[in-house]
Structures are given as structure tokens and as C-alpha cells.
Amino acid sequence: MAYSTKVIDHYENPRNVGSLPKNDPNVGTGLVGAPECGDVMKLQVKVNPDTGVIDDAKFKTFGCGSAIASSSLATEWLKGKTVDEALAIKNTDIVTELSLPPVKIHCSVLAEDAIKAAISDYKKKQQTTVTAGAEEKARPSA
């Protein structure tokens, strides 16, 4: 199977590898896997609380070159986008950009699922933070 030059570039020079502090209320973490091939992808986003824009994105992926390239590309695309704009990233966009062969399309699906999971985790943390703040204000002072 021939990989595109973009897949090879992202595989050999992955962008944004690493982790963000998962307990940070402004960090959302998505962990997804594809049992059919054994790929596992962790993708994280850090959202600026003042602007709602994704300031940083990191990934760690165990898998083939296409899975690593898909996650690397996704983190590049996420930076500078709002949460809603991030949710608009589709696997077909990744397939097109990387020229993934049909047998590797599941890698792009994994990346889209990881983005959705990370954003979902971030939103859940925001609801918890708001609820905790409201409970704190509702407590009578001693």
C-alpha cells in the first residue's frame, strides 16, 4: 500500500504529541479505539475559558501510520477553532487531506470520534464547574 507524502510527513514528524493535564477543567480528553485493527487514540484539547477557542491540542496514538497521521493532522486543525468549529471536522475532510486509501478510512473515523469525545468531556467538565460554583454560592456563610 502506498501512503501519500502527507501521511508519511505526519508519521515521521508528528505534531503535538503529548498530554495535557486531564484534571484541568479547561481540558477535554477523548480516548477511542478500533478493535478491528488495534488502534487506540487519545486526543486532548485545551479551551481558553475567556474566548472559547482551542488554544492547544495534544495526542498519543498507538497504531499504524494512518492513525498517527490522522491524529497529528486533527490536532493541527483544532488549534484556533471554537468548540463548535471543532465539531464540524469530519473524517471525510481528513481522508481527503491525507489521501487515505479505502482500507485506512477507519483511522480518520477514529480521529473524528476522538475529537467528539474530547469536546464532550470538556463540556461535561464545564457543566460540573458551573454546578459546583453555584453550590458554593448557595452555601450559607458561617
Side-chain angles (χ1 to χ4, degrees), residues 89-92 94 107-117:
I89 296 172
K90 299 297 174 208
N91 79 292
T92 51
I94 295 168
C107 297
S108 66
V109 172
L110 208 56
E112 181 182 337
D113 289 347
I115 292 169
K116 288 179 182 173

Side-chain angles (χ1 to χ4, degrees), residues 5-142:
T5 55
K6 287 184 182 179
V7 169
I8 293 168
D9 181 41
H10 277 279
Y11 175 73
E12 291 180 345
N13 307 293
R15 284 69 147 178
N16 308 305
V17 175
S19 293
L20 296 166
K22 67 179 181 181
N23 293 330
D24 184 330
N26 297 312
V27 172
T29 303
L31 182 63
V32 296
E36 70 273 6
C37 63
D39 293 338
V40 177
M41 186 180 294
K42 179 179 90 170
L43 191 141
Q44 294 178 294
V45 294
K46 182 169 186 170
V47 181
N48 182 313
D50 298 324
T51 63
V53 171
I54 296 170
D55 283 341
D56 201 3
K58 299 282 186 194
F59 83 95
K60 285 189 177 180
T61 296
F62 175 82
C64 67
S66 295
I68 292 167
S70 293
S71 16
S72 175
L73 178 67
T75 60
E76 283 195 319
W77 282 0
L78 287 166
K79 289 182 180 183
K81 286 189 171 19
T82 65
V83 169
D84 289 338
E85 289 169 339
L87 289 172
I89 296 172
K90 299 297 174 208
N91 79 292
T92 51
D93 302 325
I94 295 168
V95 168
T96 301
E97 180 68 20
L98 295 176
S99 301
L100 292 177
V103 71
K104 293 297 182 179
I105 289 176
H106 67 275
C107 297
S108 66
V109 172
L110 208 56
E112 181 182 337
D113 289 347
I115 292 169
K116 288 179 182 173
I119 299 295
S120 175
D121 182 55
Y122 164 74
K123 286 182 173 181
K124 187 166 66 175
K125 283 182 175 181
Q126 294 308 299
Q127 290 173 344
T128 303
T129 302
V130 169
T131 303
E135 288 173 1
E136 189 68 33
K137 287 179 185 174
R139 285 191 194 137
S141 53

